[in-house]
Short mmCIF file of all heavy atoms in Angstrom, two decimals:
data_model
loop_
_atom_site.label_atom_id
_atom_site.label_comp_id
_atom_site.label_asym_id
_atom_site.label_seq_id
_atom_site.Cartn_x
_atom_site.Cartn_y
_atom_site.Cartn_z
N GLU A 96 -79.48 87.68 58.01
CA GLU A 96 -80.38 87.83 59.17
C GLU A 96 -81.42 88.92 58.92
O GLU A 96 -82.60 88.78 59.32
CB GLU A 96 -79.55 88.16 60.40
CG GLU A 96 -80.35 88.05 61.69
CD GLU A 96 -79.47 88.19 62.92
OE1 GLU A 96 -78.23 88.29 62.76
OE2 GLU A 96 -80.01 88.19 64.04
N VAL A 97 -81.01 89.97 58.24
CA VAL A 97 -81.97 91.04 57.89
C VAL A 97 -83.07 90.47 57.02
O VAL A 97 -84.28 90.73 57.23
CB VAL A 97 -81.24 92.19 57.18
CG1 VAL A 97 -82.25 93.17 56.56
CG2 VAL A 97 -80.33 92.94 58.15
N ARG A 98 -82.66 89.70 56.01
CA ARG A 98 -83.67 89.11 55.13
C ARG A 98 -84.55 88.11 55.87
O ARG A 98 -85.78 88.05 55.68
CB ARG A 98 -82.97 88.43 53.94
CG ARG A 98 -82.27 89.39 52.99
CD ARG A 98 -81.83 88.68 51.73
NE ARG A 98 -80.81 87.65 52.02
CZ ARG A 98 -79.50 87.87 52.04
NH1 ARG A 98 -79.03 89.07 51.79
NH2 ARG A 98 -78.66 86.88 52.31
N ASN A 99 -83.91 87.31 56.73
CA ASN A 99 -84.65 86.29 57.47
C ASN A 99 -85.71 86.92 58.38
O ASN A 99 -86.88 86.49 58.40
CB ASN A 99 -83.67 85.45 58.28
CG ASN A 99 -84.36 84.32 59.02
OD1 ASN A 99 -85.25 83.64 58.47
ND2 ASN A 99 -83.97 84.09 60.26
N TRP A 100 -85.30 87.93 59.17
CA TRP A 100 -86.27 88.58 60.07
C TRP A 100 -87.32 89.35 59.29
O TRP A 100 -88.47 89.45 59.71
CB TRP A 100 -85.56 89.50 61.05
CG TRP A 100 -84.82 88.77 62.13
CD1 TRP A 100 -83.49 88.72 62.34
CD2 TRP A 100 -85.42 87.97 63.15
NE1 TRP A 100 -83.17 87.93 63.41
CE2 TRP A 100 -84.35 87.46 63.93
CE3 TRP A 100 -86.73 87.60 63.47
CZ2 TRP A 100 -84.55 86.62 65.03
CZ3 TRP A 100 -86.93 86.76 64.57
CH2 TRP A 100 -85.85 86.28 65.33
N GLY A 101 -86.95 89.83 58.15
CA GLY A 101 -87.94 90.51 57.30
C GLY A 101 -89.00 89.53 56.81
O GLY A 101 -90.20 89.84 56.79
N ASP A 102 -88.52 88.33 56.41
CA ASP A 102 -89.46 87.30 55.96
C ASP A 102 -90.40 86.88 57.09
O ASP A 102 -91.61 86.68 56.90
CB ASP A 102 -88.70 86.10 55.43
CG ASP A 102 -87.93 86.40 54.14
OD1 ASP A 102 -88.32 87.39 53.46
OD2 ASP A 102 -86.98 85.66 53.81
N LYS A 103 -89.81 86.75 58.30
CA LYS A 103 -90.63 86.35 59.44
C LYS A 103 -91.65 87.43 59.80
O LYS A 103 -92.82 87.11 60.13
CB LYS A 103 -89.74 86.07 60.65
CG LYS A 103 -88.92 84.79 60.51
CD LYS A 103 -88.08 84.54 61.75
CE LYS A 103 -87.29 83.23 61.63
NZ LYS A 103 -86.46 82.95 62.83
N ALA A 104 -91.22 88.69 59.75
CA ALA A 104 -92.16 89.79 60.06
C ALA A 104 -93.30 89.82 59.04
O ALA A 104 -94.47 90.02 59.39
CB ALA A 104 -91.39 91.11 60.05
N ARG A 105 -92.93 89.59 57.76
CA ARG A 105 -93.95 89.59 56.71
C ARG A 105 -94.93 88.44 56.89
O ARG A 105 -96.16 88.60 56.75
CB ARG A 105 -93.25 89.49 55.35
CG ARG A 105 -94.21 89.65 54.16
CD ARG A 105 -93.46 89.61 52.84
NE ARG A 105 -92.48 90.70 52.77
CZ ARG A 105 -91.17 90.55 52.91
NH1 ARG A 105 -90.66 89.33 53.12
NH2 ARG A 105 -90.37 91.59 52.83
N ALA A 106 -94.39 87.26 57.23
CA ALA A 106 -95.25 86.10 57.44
C ALA A 106 -96.17 86.31 58.64
O ALA A 106 -97.38 85.97 58.60
CB ALA A 106 -94.39 84.85 57.65
N ALA A 107 -95.66 86.91 59.73
CA ALA A 107 -96.47 87.16 60.92
C ALA A 107 -97.56 88.19 60.61
O ALA A 107 -98.72 88.07 61.06
CB ALA A 107 -95.58 87.65 62.07
N ALA A 108 -97.22 89.21 59.85
CA ALA A 108 -98.21 90.25 59.51
C ALA A 108 -99.32 89.67 58.62
O ALA A 108 -100.52 89.99 58.80
CB ALA A 108 -97.50 91.40 58.79
N GLN A 109 -98.91 88.80 57.68
CA GLN A 109 -99.92 88.17 56.82
C GLN A 109 -100.86 87.27 57.65
O GLN A 109 -102.08 87.26 57.44
CB GLN A 109 -99.23 87.36 55.73
CG GLN A 109 -98.51 88.22 54.69
CD GLN A 109 -97.73 87.38 53.69
OE1 GLN A 109 -97.62 86.16 53.86
NE2 GLN A 109 -97.20 88.03 52.65
N LYS A 110 -100.28 86.55 58.60
CA LYS A 110 -101.10 85.67 59.46
C LYS A 110 -102.06 86.48 60.32
O LYS A 110 -103.25 86.11 60.50
CB LYS A 110 -100.17 84.83 60.36
CG LYS A 110 -100.91 83.82 61.20
CD LYS A 110 -101.63 82.77 60.36
CE LYS A 110 -102.27 81.70 61.22
NZ LYS A 110 -102.99 80.68 60.42
N ALA A 111 -101.56 87.60 60.81
CA ALA A 111 -102.41 88.48 61.63
C ALA A 111 -103.57 89.00 60.80
O ALA A 111 -104.72 89.08 61.28
CB ALA A 111 -101.60 89.63 62.20
N ALA A 112 -103.29 89.34 59.54
CA ALA A 112 -104.36 89.86 58.68
C ALA A 112 -105.40 88.78 58.41
O ALA A 112 -106.62 89.06 58.41
CB ALA A 112 -103.75 90.35 57.37
N GLN A 113 -104.95 87.54 58.19
CA GLN A 113 -105.90 86.45 57.96
C GLN A 113 -106.80 86.22 59.17
O GLN A 113 -108.03 86.05 59.05
CB GLN A 113 -105.14 85.16 57.62
CG GLN A 113 -104.43 85.19 56.28
CD GLN A 113 -103.62 83.93 56.05
OE1 GLN A 113 -103.57 83.04 56.91
NE2 GLN A 113 -102.97 83.84 54.87
N LEU A 114 -106.19 86.20 60.38
CA LEU A 114 -106.96 85.96 61.60
C LEU A 114 -107.93 87.11 61.86
O LEU A 114 -109.05 86.90 62.36
CB LEU A 114 -106.03 85.79 62.80
CG LEU A 114 -105.18 84.50 62.78
CD1 LEU A 114 -104.19 84.50 63.95
CD2 LEU A 114 -106.08 83.26 62.85
N ARG A 115 -107.52 88.32 61.49
CA ARG A 115 -108.41 89.48 61.71
C ARG A 115 -109.61 89.40 60.78
O ARG A 115 -110.74 89.78 61.17
CB ARG A 115 -107.59 90.76 61.50
CG ARG A 115 -108.33 92.01 61.95
CD ARG A 115 -107.41 93.23 62.01
NE ARG A 115 -106.56 93.18 63.21
CZ ARG A 115 -105.25 92.99 63.22
NH1 ARG A 115 -104.62 92.78 62.07
NH2 ARG A 115 -104.59 92.96 64.36
N GLU A 116 -109.36 88.91 59.56
CA GLU A 116 -110.48 88.74 58.64
C GLU A 116 -111.45 87.67 59.15
O GLU A 116 -112.66 87.74 58.89
CB GLU A 116 -109.96 88.34 57.26
CG GLU A 116 -109.25 89.48 56.52
CD GLU A 116 -108.73 89.03 55.17
OE1 GLU A 116 -108.89 87.83 54.86
OE2 GLU A 116 -108.16 89.86 54.46
N GLN A 117 -110.87 86.69 59.84
CA GLN A 117 -111.71 85.62 60.40
C GLN A 117 -112.38 86.03 61.71
O GLN A 117 -113.14 85.26 62.28
CB GLN A 117 -110.86 84.37 60.63
CG GLN A 117 -110.30 83.78 59.34
CD GLN A 117 -109.33 82.63 59.60
OE1 GLN A 117 -109.09 82.26 60.76
NE2 GLN A 117 -108.78 82.06 58.51
N GLY A 118 -112.09 87.20 62.16
CA GLY A 118 -112.71 87.69 63.40
C GLY A 118 -111.97 87.29 64.65
O GLY A 118 -112.45 87.51 65.76
#
Side-chain angles (χ1 to χ4, degrees):
E96 192 172 355
V97 168
R98 293 190 296 270
N99 183 42
W100 286 114
D102 293 339
K103 289 182 178 180
R105 187 177 299 105
Q109 291 175 353
K110 184 63 175 179
Q113 292 176 359
L114 292 175
R115 191 168 283 111
E116 288 179 358
Q117 296 174 1

